[in-house]
Amino acid sequence: LTKLQRARVDLQRAQIAFTLNRGREAPPLLLQAAKQLEQLDVELAGQTYLDTLLAAMFAGALAGGVSVQEAAHAARAASPTTRTSRAPDLLLEGLALRFNDGYTSAAPTLKQALRAFRNNDLSPQEGLRWLWHACITAAHLWDYDTWELLATRFVHTARDAGALTMLPLALSQRIGVHVLLGQLTDATSLREELNSITDATGHPPPPIAILLLAAWQGHEPEARQLIETTTTEVLQRGEGDGLVKAQWAAALLDNSLCHYEDALTAAQQAADQPPVLGVAPWAALAELVEAATRCGTPERATHAFRQLADVTRASGTDWALGIQARSRALLSCGRDAERAYCEAIDRLGRTRVRGELARAKLVYGEWLRREGRRLDAREQLRAAHETFTAIGATAFAQRTATELRATGESPRKRTVETSTELTPQEAQIAGLVREGLSNPEIGARLFISPRTVEWHLGRIFSKLDITSRKQLSR
């Protein structure tokens, strides 16, 4: 074998290790392959260094042999000729900067990488390889518009290619966007599709989507079981990434349930882990600030806030700065606190991040009640309760209702909001029904089970106020 052939064989071994183990063994094998390729195939070497860094982030604290920082140092030391203006190379450069020089230094290059990904100059094969990482980068930079665009493109690319191994990753990113935007019903719909695909392939579903959906929905027994099961499985597979996701979800759930000591423990565990792939650097910090202030440990909250502020300033989006202002308000008193609460509501109100806006109104309402301003508190708590109820965030709605009753007002009862507008997938299924396809045929076309098609049809019939496929065709 030539040197290049041997290097490609080693690369293939590393990629197989990553696919099968998804953790401990892949980073050192990939790093070895990257170094071999550096003098033989510049483009492939660059991609392999990026794979090494991503694999190390995926393994996190459970990595064996190569840490995130070591992978980043190796990537930076690689020949400058591996750098181009293409999106994957910009992503590598940005990640290397992040772990060598810090988030603030990396943010401009990572934003440039996202602009390149948005331009859609990737082939379908490249899209399947890189769009997952691009989605994650958008989330890390608090850019939900790009995250939504790329996640939608990723789903379409995977469906069109019939890529059953990549479609779960694509669906998990789209579910994540739905959860962020407070579209929990749509997220639940895609979770049904995700479950049917992973049942068919025998591979476990990506944890981030189902964990955050369960945490936001706030059904405690189901969410607890899911968090515990995921924690056990990812420890066995060496996925530090999944472990941090489970800890983040636990912190979010416990904050919604007012179990602040438990939330503080989970959030601190997540924040203490090395950087991982699928969890944004800010994820656990906002939960940590809220839990620590409620537990009367302001020094822990202050330390977390300083870390949070570093990434929110570098991002500069209203979503990022709104969360920063909300966290700052929790640490402040008097007029400073009120100004920060109002800034948080103003900034988050310019976004589509409904759940986080409702959380800002909730904590502002709690503060107003403690200040003795019951009428002002009711206004904020009423608005928060309506949003939480509308999106289906049960535990947050109950927490808000309890606080609202403490002001002397009973929350109005209402059902979770419904919409007569079809989701993109529902519209696609409706169109296939009109073409005369059966449920099994539609399922085969969309890579979902006939049972899932039937579930979607029930929602379509309800939204359109019809009862049969014949009526839908008309």
Side-chain angles (χ1 to χ4, degrees):
L1 295 177
T2 66
K3 289 183 178 181
L4 179 58
Q5 287 173 324
R6 285 197 298 271
R8 287 181 179 273
V9 168
D10 288 342
L11 174 59
Q12 187 177 28
R13 287 177 53 231
Q15 290 171 335
I16 291 172
F18 183 64
T19 302
L20 295 180
N21 191 310
R22 305 188 71 186
R24 298 179 179 89
E25 295 181 9
L29 290 172
L30 285 166
L31 182 58
Q32 178 184 345
K35 289 179 177 178
Q36 290 177 325
L37 288 165
E38 193 172 336
Q39 305 301 321
L40 304 170
D41 187 325
V42 171
E43 182 177 354
L44 187 56
Q47 292 179 0
T48 308
Y49 274 115
L50 179 54
D51 282 340
T52 305
L53 184 50
L54 296 171
M57 292 175 69
F58 194 88
L62 305 179
V66 176
S67 68
V68 172
Q69 285 72 23
E70 289 170 331
H73 290 326
R76 167 173 279 185
S79 171
T81 58
T82 62
R83 308 291 191 264
T84 73
S85 60
R86 297 195 72 243
D89 295 308
L90 289 168
L91 178 59
L92 171 60
E93 184 178 354
L95 289 174
L97 278 169
R98 175 181 166 188
F99 299 116
N100 281 292
D101 300 335
Y103 185 93
T104 300
S105 298
T109 303
L110 290 172
K111 290 176 183 179
Q112 185 182 358
L114 286 183
R115 288 193 294 271
F117 277 114
R118 286 181 67 106
N119 289 336
N120 196 25
D121 63 346
L122 301 176
S123 68
Q125 183 178 4
E126 290 175 318
L128 291 175
R129 179 174 173 81
W130 299 117
L131 281 174
W132 183 47
H133 305 304
C135 289
I136 291 168
T137 302
H140 284 205
L141 290 172
W142 309 76
D143 183 352
Y144 64 82
D145 282 329
T146 299
W147 188 11
E148 182 178 37
L149 172 69
L150 297 179
T152 302
R153 184 185 300 165
F154 192 13
V155 170
H156 290 161
T157 301
R159 281 182 177 149
D160 291 344
L164 287 183
T165 57
M166 298 303 295
L167 187 53
L169 294 176
L171 289 172
S172 73
Q173 289 300 314
R174 194 66 187 89
I175 291 170
V177 176
H178 280 312
V179 172
L180 170 69
L181 300 182
Q183 300 162 348
L184 303 189
T185 301
D186 292 326
T188 302
S189 171
L190 285 186
R191 180 184 172 182
E192 288 293 319
E193 180 179 356
L194 175 62
N195 288 342
S196 66
I197 294 171
T198 54
D199 287 345
T201 62
H203 296 299
I208 185 65
I210 56 176
L211 283 170
L212 287 188
L213 176 58
W216 265 102
Q217 287 175 323
H219 303 307
E220 186 175 9
E222 176 190 355
R224 293 274 185 229
Q225 181 61 46
L226 188 58
I227 290 169
E228 291 175 8
T229 301
T230 300
T231 299
T232 300
E233 292 176 351
V234 298
L235 284 172
Q236 291 173 345
R237 296 196 298 264
E239 297 175 17
D241 176 82
L243 179 61
V244 176
K245 290 169 183 173
Q247 292 163 341
W248 175 24
L252 172 62
L253 177 68
D254 283 318
N255 271 334
S256 72
L257 295 166
C258 301
H259 299 165
Y260 298 119
E261 292 284 352
D262 292 334
L264 178 57
T265 299
Q268 190 69 66
Q269 288 173 340
D272 289 343
Q273 298 287 335
V276 292
L277 179 59
V279 180
W282 47 264
L285 295 174
E287 303 302 332
L288 179 53
V289 170
E290 181 169 350
T293 55
R294 295 297 189 243
C295 290
T297 55
E299 66 285 351
R300 295 173 74 177
T302 300
H303 178 68
F305 176 75
R306 291 195 187 104
Q307 294 176 281
L308 178 66
D310 285 342
V311 296
T312 53
R313 283 193 296 266
S315 165
T317 67
D318 279 320
W319 173 22
L321 296 177
I323 298 297
Q324 178 190 338
R326 189 182 75 194
S327 299
R328 185 172 67 250
L330 290 166
L331 286 163
S332 303
C333 301
R335 291 183 179 179
D336 290 340
E338 182 148 31
R339 279 194 291 267
Y341 280 123
C342 291
E343 179 187 348
I345 291 170
D346 178 58
R347 288 189 179 279
L348 291 171
R350 301 175 201 164
T351 74
R352 293 186 288 139
V353 188
R354 298 173 66 193
E356 297 295 355
L357 172 60
R359 289 185 70 178
K361 293 180 179 180
L362 165 59
V363 291
Y364 184 29
E366 291 172 335
W367 181 83
L368 287 167
R369 186 182 72 80
R370 292 194 299 271
E371 292 291 307
R373 296 164 55 182
R374 291 195 301 170
L375 292 179
D376 292 335
R378 287 174 188 171
E379 179 182 355
Q380 299 299 326
L381 294 169
R382 194 182 301 123
H385 185 263
E386 288 177 357
T387 299
F388 287 137
T389 305
I391 68 177
T394 304
F396 275 118
Q398 291 173 348
R399 172 180 160 184
T400 311
T402 299
E403 192 71 20
L404 193 54
R405 282 189 287 269
T407 70
E409 179 175 316
S410 297
R412 288 183 297 175
K413 293 183 179 180
R414 55 170 294 177
T415 57
V416 175
E417 86 176 5
T418 58
S419 170
T420 59
E421 182 179 353
L422 300 184
T423 66
Q425 186 172 31
E426 288 168 350
Q428 188 176 20
I429 290 173
L432 294 175
V433 169
R434 292 184 64 191
E435 293 178 18
L437 273 66
S438 66
N439 286 3
E441 289 170 333
I442 294 172
R445 180 81 64 90
L446 301 181
F447 307 107
I448 59 179
S449 68
R451 177 175 57 85
T452 302
V453 176
E454 185 65 31
W455 184 85
H456 282 297
L457 278 175
R459 288 179 48 79
I460 292 168
F461 289 172
S462 176
K463 288 182 177 183
L464 300 183
D465 194 24
I466 59 177
T467 57
S468 71
R469 299 167 73 94
K470 186 176 181 180
Q471 288 176 301
L472 179 61
S473 296
R474 288 204 302 267

